[in-house]
Amino acid sequence: MTASPADAGLRTAPGPTGVRPAPAAALVAVLGRYAPVLPVVLMVAVLGLPLTPGSAGTGGGSLADAVSGLVVAVCVAVTLRRAERPLARTAAILLGMPVVGIAVAAAGADSPSTALVGMVRYCQIFVLVPVSVLVLVRDRRDFRLLAWSFVGLALWQGGIGIHQYLTGTGASYMGEDIRAVGTFGPTDVMGMATVVSYGLVAAVGLALGARTAARRTPALLCALALLLPLALSFSRGAWIATVVACGAQVLLAGVRRAVRLFAVTAAAAVVLVGGFGIGTQLLQERMSSITQVADAPDQSVTDRYTMWAAAVDMWSEHPATGVGLKGFPAHRDSHASLALSSGSDTAGAGAAFKRQPLLSPHNMYLLVLSEQGLIGLMALAGGWIALLLLALRRLGRGAHTRPGPDCGLVACGLLGWQLVDFVYADIGGPSTVLAALVIGLAAWWGLAPQALLKEAATP
């Protein structure tokens, strides 16, 4: 089917009278061109809004969750309009596999109402939204728009985080209100770190894969700008995942091309931390605590490893199906040692002191293993690994084609970051919807027909 000029992304030539379209008409044409993917952009954008009190870290729905429902509804409408099968067989299998483990775990849950809530949440994040993104993203321009939306959100949240550190209005950390958390508040301290990491990884992929300086330079500058708020988040898991993901992107893009990027990044880190002394002592203490597992670890490390051990113990009693969906909190105390504290202290960033209970192991793989057993873990993690391998294979085959490998580097980097971060975190909080978007983008890159990848080759 021949694409219209608007669909092909071409500029409309002047008419017979030599008069170009009015700005309003041009805006309408652009909105029409990107209409299917705009709800996904909106889902990212609403995460830049201040959260309502109590919406972070409580497990309740957020505005981003509501917009994700709109994304699914638009996907259904687009599918009905196209009147064709929306997913190929491989995509349907990989993205549909989690439903098996989720359903089995829900059937074995202690509380039907809690299991229903958990089933809806898991299907939303790991099935419905990724499928919707796969269907709604039509070509590389749609993909790049979403990648830049990650970067824009990260810059916004990171800017707020830097202001919080400099003015002492952030979340409480080591007795000072300096932890950068953006608009997510002290009960979701991983929210800003996650958003900034996504933006940094997306910017690095866009910079490494760009064919022109006009595209490469802005992405590189954004990546450098996001290093500081990521450091000030004091999130060890986000640091580790970002280093691994960006390092993998560099290797995938070619080491020679990335030497200058490494040099500039290292120089910027030396200037910011060494030259200006930004957070030197606290950052050093936080980084050194990563390896302090047996040698006087801090309480957060002790709690994390204690909950990991409890999750493994739960799984050992129910190896196939786990203890049931959303069952970790109910079984935690009977499997955890006395080393586990009653909760973590949260304060600052405009919120009063609060004792937040530890209701998950902060490890997605162990959470799934304890609640869904081997069936659920193989369905979820197996699908993620398969998507990553498919994305890497396509990147390896077409990394040096004319359109450039930027979309592939972004997709592989984001999914790689997510898989590493899941060792130190699990789903929870408003930013969780971005994990669904990451899976959807990786699925599009790895599973979309080759014709869609070439569609945006014309500038």
Side-chain angles (χ1 to χ4, degrees):
M1 181 175 64
T2 303
S4 65
D7 288 338
L10 304 178
R11 294 181 179 178
T12 305
T17 60
V19 178
R20 292 184 178 276
L27 178 60
V28 170
V30 171
L31 293 177
R33 161 64 185 83
Y34 289 103
V37 79
L38 287 181
V40 189
V41 176
L42 178 62
M43 185 177 71
V44 178
V46 296
L47 288 173
L49 300 176
L51 298 177
T52 56
S55 63
T58 62
S62 65
L63 180 58
D65 292 317
V67 178
S68 74
L70 173 64
V71 171
V72 175
V74 172
C75 172
V76 172
V78 169
T79 301
L80 294 175
R81 188 186 66 179
R82 292 176 182 174
E84 60 184 21
R85 189 172 66 177
L87 299 178
R89 181 179 302 175
T90 303
I93 293 174
L94 292 181
L95 295 177
M97 282 196 311
V99 177
V100 177
I102 294 169
V104 172
D110 297 332
S111 170
S113 59
T114 302
L116 179 61
V117 173
M119 188 173 183
V120 171
R121 182 63 163 169
Y122 271 90
C123 287
Q124 171 205 5
I125 300 301
F126 299 122
V127 181
L128 296 177
V129 175
V131 167
S132 300
V133 173
L134 176 59
V135 172
L136 296 178
V137 174
R138 296 174 296 174
D139 54 36
R140 287 174 179 260
R141 283 163 306 199
D142 285 354
F143 190 105
R144 291 190 185 106
L145 178 61
L146 293 177
W148 277 109
S149 69
F150 271 121
V151 178
L153 176 63
L155 290 171
W156 170 252
Q157 290 286 1
I160 295 175
I162 293 174
H163 179 267
Q164 289 171 333
Y165 175 84
L166 294 176
T167 59
T169 56
S172 178
Y173 178 76
M174 301 292 288
E176 300 180 69
D177 293 344
I178 58 172
R179 187 169 190 175
V181 293
T183 64
F184 293 97
T187 58
D188 186 16
V189 293
M190 284 295 297
M192 192 213 74
T194 299
V195 166
V196 171
S197 298
Y198 283 147
L200 179 56
V201 172
V204 169
L206 291 168
L208 289 172
R211 292 299 191 191
T212 63
R215 288 183 175 180
R216 183 183 306 112
T217 302
L220 179 58
L221 292 176
C222 290
L224 293 174
L226 291 172
L227 289 174
L228 180 57
L230 178 60
L232 298 180
S233 71
F234 296 103
S235 174
R236 294 167 292 197
W239 293 347
I240 295 172
T242 303
V243 169
V244 173
C246 292
Q249 287 175 310
V250 168
L251 294 176
L252 291 170
V255 179
R256 290 184 179 180
R257 296 180 56 203
V259 169
R260 286 178 295 180
L261 177 60
F262 269 138
V264 172
T265 303
V270 170
V271 171
L272 291 174
V273 179
F276 294 109
I278 297 178
T280 303
Q281 182 178 355
L282 291 175
L283 288 174
Q284 288 178 349
E285 292 177 356
R286 191 64 168 172
M287 286 186 286
S288 64
S289 69
I290 295 174
T291 59
Q292 290 178 342
V293 178
D295 184 19
D298 59 40
Q299 186 58 48
S300 64
V301 175
T302 300
D303 287 340
R304 179 161 300 185
Y305 284 99
T306 301
M307 290 189 293
W308 285 11
V312 173
D313 195 42
M314 293 180 200
W315 166 73
S316 65
E317 293 185 359
H318 306 274
T321 60
V323 297
L325 209 57
K326 305 289 284 185
F328 182 89
H331 293 79
R332 183 200 64 181
D333 292 341
S334 61
H335 292 83
S337 69
L338 296 178
L340 181 66
S341 65
S342 59
S344 59
D345 298 336
T346 63
F353 175 84
K354 181 180 180 181
R355 189 73 172 169
Q356 188 172 3
L358 303 174
L359 302 178
S360 73
H362 295 289
N363 180 307
M364 190 65 202
Y365 306 107
L366 291 179
L367 176 63
V368 174
L369 188 66
S370 63
E371 293 186 346
Q372 303 181 36
L374 285 175
I375 295 176
L377 183 63
M378 292 176 64
L380 269 173
W384 299 335
I385 293 173
L387 287 177
L388 181 60
L389 293 176
L390 288 170
L392 289 171
R393 183 180 68 172
R394 174 162 279 176
L395 179 62
R397 289 178 176 179
H400 303 291
T401 58
R402 183 176 180 274
D406 54 347
C407 295
L409 290 172
V410 172
C412 294
L414 287 175
L415 184 57
W417 185 94
Q418 191 65 72
L419 295 184
V420 175
D421 184 69
F422 271 162
V423 177
Y424 306 95
D426 46 49
I427 59 175
S431 62
T432 299
V433 296
L434 295 183
L437 177 52
V438 165
I439 296 172
L441 290 176
W444 182 85
W445 174 256
L447 298 171
Q450 190 68 28
L452 295 182
L453 303 181
K454 296 179 179 179
E455 185 177 346
T458 302

